[in-house]
Amino acid sequence: VDREIYFQPILFGLGTGTIIAALALGLVVAYRASGVINFGHGAIATYVTYVYVSLVDTGEYPLPPLPNPVAPIEGIFDIEIVDFPTMINLGADGTSRLLAVVVALLTAAVLGLLAHYVIFRPLRYAPVLAKVVASVGIMLFLQAAVVLRFGSRAKSADPIFPNEPVDFLGVRVGQDRFWLFGTVVVVTRTAARSHTQPARVRKWVWLCPVGKRRTQSDGSPSSAGARSDTALRKEKGSRFLFHNMS
């Protein structure tokens, strides 16, 4: 029996499967910390990936589309009042991979903080459907931003990890898949250790891109905090009502 028939699809799909696992890990961590499923999680990853490709290829850092409050006036009178920049040049012939990775990760952190403080934090007492609609709005906005800044064609970049081919189980495959798989395993193990230590979870949960919640003894999020907040608001409303009646 030719082992290549069985192991070649598995090894060649290892890279794609590892990327999907990494995205799922980030989605689960955010949900465990906040209880909100962020449908814009994949769109954030897509935008950050295009940022990395743009920095490596051209050295330009793309700025997201900004609303122009004087756009109707410019359209009516056919003039240009405000010219918002679309790219910031960080290198004429492209930046190094290390710098591109650092800038891309910082961009992901900024997008997560903006999603928290601008969208999800004001909606922390809103119904679940409102949070879902908000996360879908993030997804649509970032998808449109990618098309506006980078076009609709897919882009590619050189691999970050070493990509020399190796023979494994009778299949010749690039070793970058194994590097990526090992990185995701290490990150998953680190997240699992943090989950089993409630004190560490409570210490770092404020960094999550959605919000804070109380944790149970096993580190999982608890709804006690939400119930107590709701009860407190009802109590304040009752006091206000009785005060006005008296």
Side-chain angles (χ1 to χ4, degrees):
V1 179
D2 190 1
R3 293 187 300 175
E4 184 177 356
I5 299 177
Y6 297 98
F7 294 112
Q8 185 176 16
I10 297 175
L11 294 178
F12 276 94
L14 182 63
T16 304
T18 304
I19 293 175
I20 296 175
L23 292 174
L25 176 64
L27 187 63
V28 170
V29 168
Y31 175 75
R32 294 288 293 177
S34 64
V36 177
I37 300 178
N38 185 6
F39 288 91
H41 184 74
I44 293 176
T46 301
Y47 185 83
V48 171
T49 302
Y50 273 93
V51 168
Y52 169 81
V53 174
S54 178
L55 289 173
V56 172
D57 290 345
T58 64
E60 294 182 336
Y61 180 80
L63 296 177
L66 300 175
N68 187 0
V70 296
I73 300 176
E74 293 179 345
I76 294 174
F77 297 99
D78 194 17
I79 58 176
E80 185 177 1
I81 302 176
V82 181
D83 184 16
F84 291 104
T86 59
M87 295 286 182
I88 299 178
N89 194 351
L90 300 180
D93 298 327
T95 62
S96 63
R97 296 180 186 177
L98 178 60
L99 178 60
V101 169
V102 172
V103 174
L105 292 178
L106 289 177
T107 301
V110 170
L111 289 176
L113 290 175
L114 287 176
H116 165 57
Y117 286 108
V118 178
I119 298 175
F120 290 116
R121 183 177 177 84
L123 293 176
R124 59 188 181 275
Y125 297 124
V128 177
L129 182 59
K131 300 176 183 178
V132 171
V133 173
S135 64
V136 172
I138 295 175
M139 177 186 67
L140 296 177
F141 172 79
L142 290 177
Q143 287 178 347
V146 168
V147 174
L148 289 175
R149 290 293 179 262
F150 309 103
S152 57
R153 293 185 178 182
K155 298 182 180 294
S156 61
D158 295 332
I160 300 176
F161 298 109
N163 195 29
E164 289 77 14
V166 294
D167 293 325
F168 185 74
L169 297 177
V171 180
R172 194 167 180 81
V173 62
Q175 60 176 295
D176 59 332
R177 291 171 171 82
F178 300 102
W179 282 99
L180 181 61
F181 178 76
T183 302
V184 173
V185 169
V186 171
V187 173
T188 304
R189 179 58 181 169
T190 303
R193 291 185 60 185
S194 299
H195 171 67
T196 57
Q197 300 181 17
R200 185 177 298 179
V201 174
R202 288 192 295 267
K203 180 179 179 181
W204 296 104
V205 72
W206 68 275
L207 290 174
C208 294
V210 180
K212 300 179 181 178
R213 294 184 73 188
R214 295 186 179 180
T215 55
Q216 298 176 356
S217 58
D218 60 349
S220 60
S222 173
S223 59
R227 289 197 300 269
S228 61
D229 292 339
T230 304
L232 181 61
R233 288 188 288 113
K234 289 182 178 180
E235 182 180 355
K236 289 182 179 180
S238 301
R239 291 179 179 177
F240 177 78
L241 179 62
F242 290 135
H243 177 73
N244 290 340
M245 290 177 61
S246 59

